[in-house]
Amino acid sequence: MAERNRPANWRAAALLLLAAGALAWLWWMRDAPAADAAAPAAVALPASAPGLAAASGPASAPVAAASEPSASGFLSAGRQALAQPHPAQALRGLKTCYFQGNCQLAGPEGLDEHFADSRAIVEQLKRLGETGSAAEQADWARELIGFPDGHVQAAALALAARLPPAAETVAATVAALRESYDTVLLRQAYPVLQQWQQLGLTAGYDEMFLQLVHTGGWQAAQSVAENIGPFLNAGNVARFEQLAGQLQPGARQDALKRALRDYQLLRSGG
């Protein structure tokens, strides 16, 4: 009996194997298109997704690069100013961005932003002194003599000293020095002021020196008291003598009194 049933059992087993194979084939055919369709989607990335483009491999790197601004193509306000062909144009741009605080010239050198900006202005002033017209030089010397940086003021004063003297330049210089606390700038200014004095351009000198000695910063006041001698004359000596009597005893008063004594001795031929 068992022998008779054996063929039937084999046929049943074969049918089961065929059915299982058919089911497996149908399952594979169902998943194969989905997998094929997913492959191109990995490279079809939008240009607005640079991060995803970079992750998809080297082929999509140009898309990422094009979607971001190039660092070398960006120019700060200070760099734009320095790119101007004429130093007067560069100075105008540098002065504007200096006061707006967006020159961004410090760069990788580790310079302080303020120092980097003022150094650029000084360099352009020197260029202007070599290539600019006399009128341009005079305009910029007057404009920058009152700049809130001692290095720029010194460069402007040096430029002014080389130009033909003008009342407007003298007035701008006197106005700037009257507000100065910079003894280095004052020491640079004394010979320039004497040069203009010899030409009769002394408007505002007395008021400037009196104010600096009386109410200026301690170092500036001391500097003027020690160097006032060449600027004393018969028309102003009484005002400085009066001021000397009003000052508190100390180094400043001593220096001014000494200068007045030396002046009187010089007048008397002593």
Side-chain angles (χ1 to χ4, degrees):
M1 185 70 177
E3 292 294 331
R4 285 198 299 269
N5 290 336
R6 183 176 295 173
N9 291 338
W10 278 108
R11 284 195 296 271
L15 288 172
L16 285 173
L17 286 172
L18 288 171
L23 287 172
W25 182 81
L26 289 172
W27 181 266
W28 180 84
M29 289 299 292
R30 187 192 68 175
D31 286 349
D36 292 340
V43 295
L45 294 172
S48 60
L52 294 176
S56 67
S60 54
V63 177
S67 65
E68 297 177 356
S70 170
S72 61
F74 172 76
L75 287 178
S76 67
R79 299 293 177 190
Q80 291 180 38
L82 291 176
Q84 296 298 319
H86 196 281
Q89 296 172 322
L91 284 168
R92 181 62 60 202
L94 288 170
K95 184 182 176 185
T96 299
C97 72
Y98 179 94
F99 286 109
Q100 292 178 349
N102 63 348
C103 288
Q104 298 180 349
L105 289 175
E109 300 177 5
L111 295 176
D112 174 79
E113 185 67 39
H114 171 88
F115 178 74
D117 297 348
S118 62
R119 186 177 73 169
I121 293 174
V122 168
E123 290 172 352
Q124 293 304 312
L125 261 180
K126 291 179 179 177
R127 280 187 61 214
L128 185 73
E130 296 169 355
T131 63
S133 67
E136 287 176 324
Q137 293 177 35
D139 286 343
W140 277 103
R142 290 193 288 263
E143 186 164 343
L144 293 179
I145 188 62
F147 197 80
D149 177 87
H151 297 93
V152 174
Q153 286 184 291
L157 181 60
L159 181 60
R162 297 197 302 267
L163 296 171
E168 295 85 353
T169 304
V170 175
T173 303
V174 167
L177 293 175
R178 189 167 55 234
E179 307 300 326
S180 178
Y181 288 80
D182 190 340
T183 56
V184 175
L185 180 65
L186 285 169
R187 284 197 297 271
Q188 179 184 344
Y190 296 137
V192 180
L193 293 173
Q194 290 181 55
Q195 173 186 324
W196 292 338
Q197 182 184 46
Q198 293 170 2
L199 300 173
L201 298 171
T202 59
Y205 277 28
D206 293 348
E207 288 72 17
M208 173 189 65
F209 286 133
L210 287 164
Q211 179 178 321
L212 284 171
V213 174
H214 193 202
T215 61
W218 185 88
Q219 290 184 326
Q222 184 70 22
S223 175
V224 172
E226 292 172 351
N227 292 277
I228 193 63
F231 303 99
L232 293 173
N233 55 61
N236 64 18
V237 65
R239 298 179 66 184
F240 283 95
E241 288 174 340
Q242 181 182 9
L243 175 60
Q246 296 171 352
L247 294 175
Q248 294 292 327
R252 177 173 43 171
Q253 185 189 58
D254 291 343
L256 182 56
K257 285 184 174 180
R258 186 163 53 249
L260 290 166
R261 258 194 327 268
D262 291 343
Y263 170 77
Q264 296 295 354
L265 284 173
L266 187 63
R267 284 189 64 188
S268 63

